Amino acid sequence: MGGPAVKGWFKVWLYGTTSVVAITPTAAHADPVSIGGVVLGILAPSLAASTVASGIVGGLLLGALGIAANLLFAPKPPKTPTPDTLKNSFELEEGPGVFAFGRVRAGWKIAFGRTDGYLIYQLGLHYFGPTGASAVETWIYDDREIVVEANGAVSSPPWTKYNGSWMTLKTKIGDGSENAWPELVAAFDGWTTNHRVRGIVQTLAIFENPGFSENPTKFNRLYSQGIKAVERIERAGLFYDPRDPAQHMNNPATWTWTMNAVLIALHFRRKRPGVVNADFDFALIGAAADAADALVETRAGENVWLGGAAPDGIVDDPGGGTGAYNPTTRTFSCTGSGGTSSARPLFRWIDAVEPGTRYLVGFTFTGDADRLNSIVLGDETVPLTATPVTVGGQPAIQYTGEVVATDNDFIRFTWDGRSAFSATATSGYVREKRFEPRARLSGGGQGQITTDFIQALYRSGGLEEYRTAQNKIAIRVVDDYPAAEGVIRANRIKRMRVNKGLESVDRPNVFQVEFYSAERQYVVSRVPLHGINQAGAYTGPDWARFESEIALTEEREETLSYEFCPSAYQAQRLARREAYMMRADTGTLVLSMFTALALWGKRTVDIEFPDFGAGDGDVVTKRCKIDAPRVDDETGEAEVAFAIIPDALTGDYLPNTYERAAPPVLPLESYEAVLDTPDPPNFAVGIKYLPGGARAGRNEVRFRMTPVTDAHRAEINMRTYTGALPDLWQGANERGLAMAWKAGDFEGQKLDARLRYFDEDLEGSYFSDLLEVGSLSRTNNAPGVPFVVVTPEGENTGGGGEPLDGWTVDATAPTGLSVVAIRVTASSSGGPGTGEFFRETVDVFPDENVTITVPWADTGLNPVVIEVSALSSDETASSAPAYTWTPPGP
């Protein structure tokens, strides 16, 4: 139901700021409570005290601040959505809805902000939900990457503090089941349980103000420039997949996240007015989704090796003969031997390949190149193709192939060494062979889902929509040279007009390609196609620059933009086809209406063209793309526009020829930490205390750490696992800078641990990398020898064994983590105290100092021997230093 609407307008000045938030209400929408037109914008830059704006903001009738999706994202006139808009953060105004799909970098719109004491709250809205429960991959604040723990605490400097954080970020997935944020309900009387903000992916940011007067240095470091935008790199949206029987087309709770271009296009196509589920052929769309998921080869990775410096290591096969390799000249040779065995030098060429990865391998040899028997990568023989070539005027052979690397990551060349030979490697490469799904989409925007937006999705995914014979909507992935859906016979063509493409002075001859680039932090960026080598020659792909035409005319550049395409390689596949089709021969056919009706819904046909200059009736058949027929009711004829698919698109697609590498990654900045990042904890072990002590029977996990320079305090976190999924991080107990412990029986469990340090001002380092323990084991190693000082107490002024006050034993446990106790025994070899007369065991941590008092015992004139040992969990003892006290003589 709708709540009360607040009329009039407010202008809110946040004290100590230059920010003025103007709020103008409009008619309220209901569901469940109307916002009433009042929304507080982004908090002010100056946050020096808890009283900031409290008097004014408190009078804003927050009881009317029910935020509903249909108001926050109310319709406005359509805009052409672009994915760049997702990164922007705004103070909220009533405006167009924001939507997102695939993998995106999403900013937010500030829906609410207010202070409560030293806590500052901001509620930011990202885009329409739902999205997945674990969608966020990277958090960003002020254009810097930050780490957010499972409980929402930001653990990146300068936000981290001992046992906590100055910033907490919590999120909701926008699935419509949202309840009001309990933090806001508890902090503000006007925020009620009705303020649910349903159906929108959102983040609640809670900033703690250290106080300007209390901690000016920390305040300035955190807030001197105000509060900045929170962004997220995430997997956005959930999408219906007709291939999955567990999913229901009308139940988003059953949908899953995907970047599949067909499924994302289907999702938004179903949102267009005037269509219902019965209008779609979901079986054909599912088949198209399979085609979009199919892996296609892309440009290979960087060369693992491409000539140059001599690789390391050579091993000779024990077979007959003598083999050698000269790393300076890269020459393989053999003096030959009798018999039929082969001398096969083994050569550790590279150490950088990964088992299970497919590689392209190529080497060119001069000399006795035909004596090469095989190339082996790891344990797998490379299927070789031998191609005669010429190098420096000399005959050579280039061997190429591909193979999946196994565990032995080196290349071995085997040669026929039954007689002398010499062959020199003049060039070579090993490149990772890469694949990606054929058609993906990512991005988003704001505004209504228009026809232009749907067409932009189709274009970025390389898709086209068509109607089936049953007049159902279907989607397919477009091929460079698609199969013909029909034939237009020459004798069916009444008239024809063919244009030999655009005139060379008009058609584009230089092509730039734009795509939605994760490498450039999720903005539309160009693919670096147009390389020039040192000699000034063009090194880009031929389809992107038609040099022969440019030499005769001039450059005419065309930018092909695929704003929702997340891959530089997918964009290049699409651009190459579009570039050639833009330069293709086109024309118009005039057909009878009945012939044209047979073409309805078809996009690719074979057309028979008269073969002028040949015999009568001879034809040339060309594969063509056609538009829908245009019917003239008066003449009973129809015109069909066509474009002849160029021959360049008929052959195999060669990614290493037609593609160039994606732009270099533009890394996110990180906050600078005062302290160096520590190494991971050195190791972890389990222990169990002995019976009888204060910690009798207690289990612990213990960690050893290496402190960084200027460290003043340590903080270590650990987590266990439930099945394959990690549990929440939990704190441990630090003893100094180099050791920590956590009570509990973790033996046999998988666990991770990480570490950070703080300086005297409690400025923290980054967390270390993880120490990963597959199965925690208990250590029973013999501990090291304790450091012991024994001091006799009291006076012995007379002889004959007059009583003392006893002995004080100060013992420092060894540093090894296996120690659980210090044991002190005292004994004598004769007299009334013959044998052991004292034994005490005290629980200890490593490096812990304990004091034990051995009481006086009358041993006559017999010496007293005090021994101190360190014990492990199964009472394995260290060697025991002995202290001997000899009574004074009579």
Side-chain angles (χ1 to χ4, degrees), residues 758-835:
F758 295 82
D759 65 10
E760 289 186 345
D761 296 324
L762 296 184
E763 292 284 351
S765 72
Y766 281 100
F767 269 115
S768 69
D769 292 334
L770 297 184
L771 166 67
E772 299 176 342
V773 180
S775 177
L776 184 71
S777 58
R778 182 183 299 175
T779 177
N780 292 309
N781 295 337
V785 179
F787 177 78
V788 179
V789 176
V790 179
T791 305
E793 301 294 344
E795 301 245 350
N796 186 353
T797 56
E802 300 227 356
L804 290 168
D805 293 337
W807 297 266
T808 298
V809 178
D810 288 305
T812 301
T815 59
L817 297 186
S818 64
V819 62
V820 299
I822 292 292
R823 177 170 291 166
V824 177
T825 63
S827 61
S828 177
S829 59
T834 298

Side-chain angles (χ1 to χ4, degrees), residues 149-166:
E149 306 304 324
N151 64 354
V154 175
S155 60
S156 301
W159 298 99
T160 182
K161 65 177 181 177
Y162 191 67
N163 286 332
S165 177
W166 299 103

Side-chain angles (χ1 to χ4, degrees), residues 729-759:
W729 288 104
Q730 50 188 308
N733 304 281
E734 299 82 16
R735 285 186 55 83
L737 301 178
M739 184 264 173
W741 60 276
K742 176 80 172 178
D745 186 4
F746 302 102
E747 187 173 351
Q749 295 190 42
K750 177 181 179 181
L751 59 85
D752 300 330
R754 63 185 185 180
L755 168 69
R756 63 182 172 186
Y757 285 99
F758 295 82
D759 65 10

Side-chain angles (χ1 to χ4, degrees), residues 1-6 10 32-38 57-67 112 114 184 188-196:
M1 65 179 179
V6 178
F10 296 87
V33 177
S34 65
I35 189 172
V38 181
V57 178
L60 286 183
L61 300 178
L62 289 175
L65 280 177
I67 301 176
F112 174 78
R114 192 178 176 188
L184 298 181
F188 306 112
D189 293 338
W191 198 275
T192 73
T193 55
N194 289 326
H195 295 78
R196 298 174 61 181

Side-chain angles (χ1 to χ4, degrees), residues 390-465:
T390 300
V391 175
Q394 301 181 45
I397 298 177
Q398 182 184 55
Y399 294 95
T400 58
E402 61 180 76
V403 70
V404 176
T406 54
D407 291 336
N408 295 323
D409 54 352
F410 62 88
I411 287 182
R412 181 172 73 243
F413 297 88
T414 69
W415 302 85
D416 180 358
R418 289 174 292 179
S419 59
F421 75 88
S422 177
T424 299
T426 61
S427 65
Y429 62 83
V430 180
R431 300 190 188 110
E432 181 184 351
K433 189 171 183 178
R434 294 180 176 173
F435 300 85
E436 69 177 19
R438 181 178 176 185
R440 294 178 291 169
L441 292 172
S442 286
Q446 56 185 0
Q448 297 180 5
I449 308 302
T450 63
T451 300
D452 288 344
F453 170 67
I454 299 297
Q455 290 299 325
L457 291 181
Y458 288 160
R459 187 166 182 271
S460 294
L463 312 176
E464 65 182 11
E465 180 181 311

Side-chain angles (χ1 to χ4, degrees), residues 603-629:
R603 297 299 306 277
T604 306
V605 298
D606 285 338
I607 299 178
E608 293 182 349
F609 294 94
D611 188 7
F612 297 106
D616 290 341
D618 287 350
V619 296
V620 174
T621 301
K622 293 288 186 180
R623 187 74 43 89
C624 301
K625 302 293 290 187
I626 61 171
D627 289 337

Side-chain angles (χ1 to χ4, degrees), residues 450-690:
T450 63
T451 300
D452 288 344
F453 170 67
I454 299 297
Q455 290 299 325
L457 291 181
Y458 288 160
R459 187 166 182 271
S460 294
L463 312 176
E464 65 182 11
E465 180 181 311
Y466 65 101
R467 291 277 180 168
T468 68
Q470 293 74 36
N471 200 31
K472 300 279 190 179
I473 298 172
I475 301 170
R476 61 188 164 206
V477 182
V478 179
D479 295 320
D480 281 358
Y481 194 70
E485 302 168 82
V487 179
I488 301 177
R489 302 294 182 187
N491 59 8
R492 298 290 185 180
I493 300 173
K494 291 187 173 184
R495 295 184 299 281
M496 177 187 302
R497 182 177 70 251
V498 178
N499 304 318
K500 290 297 290 180
L502 294 173
E503 294 295 332
S504 62
V505 294
D506 297 323
R507 63 189 179 191
N509 50 38
V510 177
F511 293 92
Q512 302 286 355
V513 179
E514 295 179 341
F515 74 110
Y516 184 49
S517 173
E519 296 86 353
R520 309 306 289 178
Q521 290 306 317
Y522 298 90
V523 297
V524 175
S525 301
R526 282 188 172 182
V527 179
L529 287 172
H530 300 278
I532 303 294
N533 63 20
Q534 291 182 343
Y538 173 68
T539 60
D542 291 344
W543 62 265
R545 184 178 178 89
F546 292 81
E547 291 279 23
S548 58
E549 188 172 290
I550 293 171
L552 298 175
T553 58
E554 61 182 5
E555 290 188 7
R556 285 172 302 282
E557 184 173 298
E558 181 81 16
T559 297
L560 305 177
S561 184
Y562 306 96
E563 60 265 44
F564 301 117
C565 171
S567 163
Y569 306 110
Q570 177 179 319
Q572 290 175 85
R573 292 194 297 272
L574 301 176
R576 177 177 178 269
R577 178 169 66 235
E578 186 172 355
Y580 279 117
M581 291 303 298
M582 289 179 70
R583 297 167 54 84
D585 295 337
T586 61
T588 304
L589 305 177
V590 177
L591 309 171
S592 71
M593 186 181 300
F594 296 105
T595 301
L597 286 175
L599 303 176
W600 193 260
K602 294 179 171 58
R603 297 299 306 277
T604 306
V605 298
D606 285 338
I607 299 178
E608 293 182 349
F609 294 94
D611 188 7
F612 297 106
D616 290 341
D618 287 350
V619 296
V620 174
T621 301
K622 293 288 186 180
R623 187 74 43 89
C624 301
K625 302 293 290 187
I626 61 171
D627 289 337
R630 293 173 295 178
V631 176
D632 185 337
D633 291 331
E634 293 183 2
T635 64
E637 295 178 336
E639 283 190 351
V640 177
F642 66 87
I644 299 174
I645 299 176
D647 291 341
L649 298 178
T650 61
D652 293 335
Y653 185 82
L654 306 174
N656 292 307
T657 300
Y658 301 149
E659 295 174 2
R660 293 301 179 262
V665 173
L666 178 66
L668 284 168
E669 294 182 2
S670 297
Y671 283 99
E672 182 178 357
V674 175
L675 298 178
D676 294 335
T677 301
D679 292 329
N682 301 341
F683 53 88
V685 297
I687 61 95
K688 185 174 184 177
Y689 288 99
L690 301 174

